[in-house]
Amino acid sequence: MRPETTPAMDALPLTRQAHHHLKSCLTEGDQVVDATAGNGHDTLFLARQVGATGHVWAFDIQARALEATRARLEAQGLAQRVTLIHAGHQHLEHSLPDNLRGEVKAVMFNLGYLPGGDHGIVTRPQDTLAALEASLAWLHPEGVISVMMYRGHPGGQEEHAAIEAWLRERRGVACERMRERPFPAPVLKCLKRS
Ligand SMILES: C[S@@+](CC[C@H](N)C(=O)[O-])C[C@H]1O[C@@H](n2cnc3c(N)ncnc32)[C@H](O)[C@@H]1O
């Protein structure tokens, strides 16, 4: 995969870099997944990218996260572009319509805890790895998976290490080269099928 970052892009917060990267891969009408809806910033971004004819499937295990996401979408008149799914992303396979298998153009993971919420409720490595496997199975051949990992909270380093280990072992996944800053800075990975 081609090295993507430029000095200007490198200066952006990683959340913006993830959006920038996905923007170049998405078009009107696409089907996409937000694996961690949280406060809905990424879901709203995705809803804008897929347009009126596309759709976003947004997961979270916390009702308050989905409520925050719904409110954000409604404020922009975009709620009809999104299906909110109150379930863990590890259940992706049983939560999406069968006809989307191989059609999902992007899956966004923004791991860790809900900002402004209970910092003890975090994404867990075994669920995240199961969701990454399911995402690959449902991904369009040209689709992208973005994974934002935070290392500063309890469990964050272990989750990051588990994903790095999975990436070293997993065949058929190409990882975009992004600049990584020293611990405890977050890490962004953009993955494609190879
Ligand atoms: C960093 S926040 C996401 C931020 C969000 N993307 C945004 O734009 O505001 C992480 C979210 O992951 C959720 N989460 C934790 N475990 C999960 C799981 N197994 N499946 C889906 N969401 C999960 C948390 O409830 C939390 O809301």
Side-chain angles (χ1 to χ4, degrees):
M1 200 180 290
R2 73 206 142 91
E4 181 59 34
T5 52
T6 61
M9 213 173 123
D10 241 10
L12 294 175
L14 282 184
T15 45
R16 292 272 310 282
Q17 288 188 36
H19 288 187
H20 184 90
H21 194 83
L22 290 179
K23 213 170 185 167
S24 63
C25 309
L26 292 175
T27 52
E28 162 105 29
D30 282 342
Q31 300 283 328
V32 300
V33 171
D34 186 345
T36 51
N39 288 316
H41 300 281
D42 295 327
T43 310
L44 177 60
F45 159 77
L46 290 169
R48 287 188 169 129
Q49 298 313 305
V50 301
T53 56
H55 205 73
V56 185
W57 307 82
F59 291 79
D60 208 289
I61 56 170
Q62 297 192 67
R64 67 176 287 182
L66 295 176
E67 283 156 20
T69 299
R70 186 190 311 281
R72 192 174 298 283
L73 294 165
E74 281 175 353
Q76 300 300 319
L78 296 180
Q80 75 286 356
R81 296 185 187 179
V82 179
T83 299
L84 298 173
I85 302 170
H86 191 183
H89 42 221
Q90 64 275 25
H91 303 298
L92 182 147
E93 178 134 26
H94 308 293
S95 306
L96 298 184
D98 276 346
N99 64 342
L100 290 194
R101 191 178 275 271
E103 296 298 328
V104 174
K105 288 293 289 297
V107 184
M108 275 195 98
F109 289 81
N110 194 336
L111 301 174
Y113 57 80
L114 177 67
D118 181 345
H119 290 197
I121 304 175
V122 293
T123 49
R124 298 181 304 174
Q126 68 272 31
D127 297 335
T128 306
L129 293 181
L132 284 168
E133 284 291 349
S135 300
L136 283 171
W138 286 70
L139 203 63
H140 185 277
E142 301 299 320
V144 183
I145 302 172
S146 70
V147 190
M148 177 76 87
M149 296 170 262
Y150 300 92
R151 299 182 286 178
H153 63 276
Q157 267 183 281
E158 290 77 6
E159 187 172 45
H160 171 247
I163 293 167
E164 293 286 4
W166 176 79
L167 279 172
R168 282 193 297 276
E169 294 291 316
R170 182 68 164 80
R171 299 260 169 262
V173 182
C175 186
E176 184 93 34
R177 272 195 275 148
M178 317 284 275
R179 173 117 89 84
E180 288 188 17
R181 295 192 164 75
F183 179 84
V187 174
L188 172 64
K189 299 272 181 193
C190 291
L191 317 177
K192 282 195 163 194
R193 280 163 50 172
S194 63

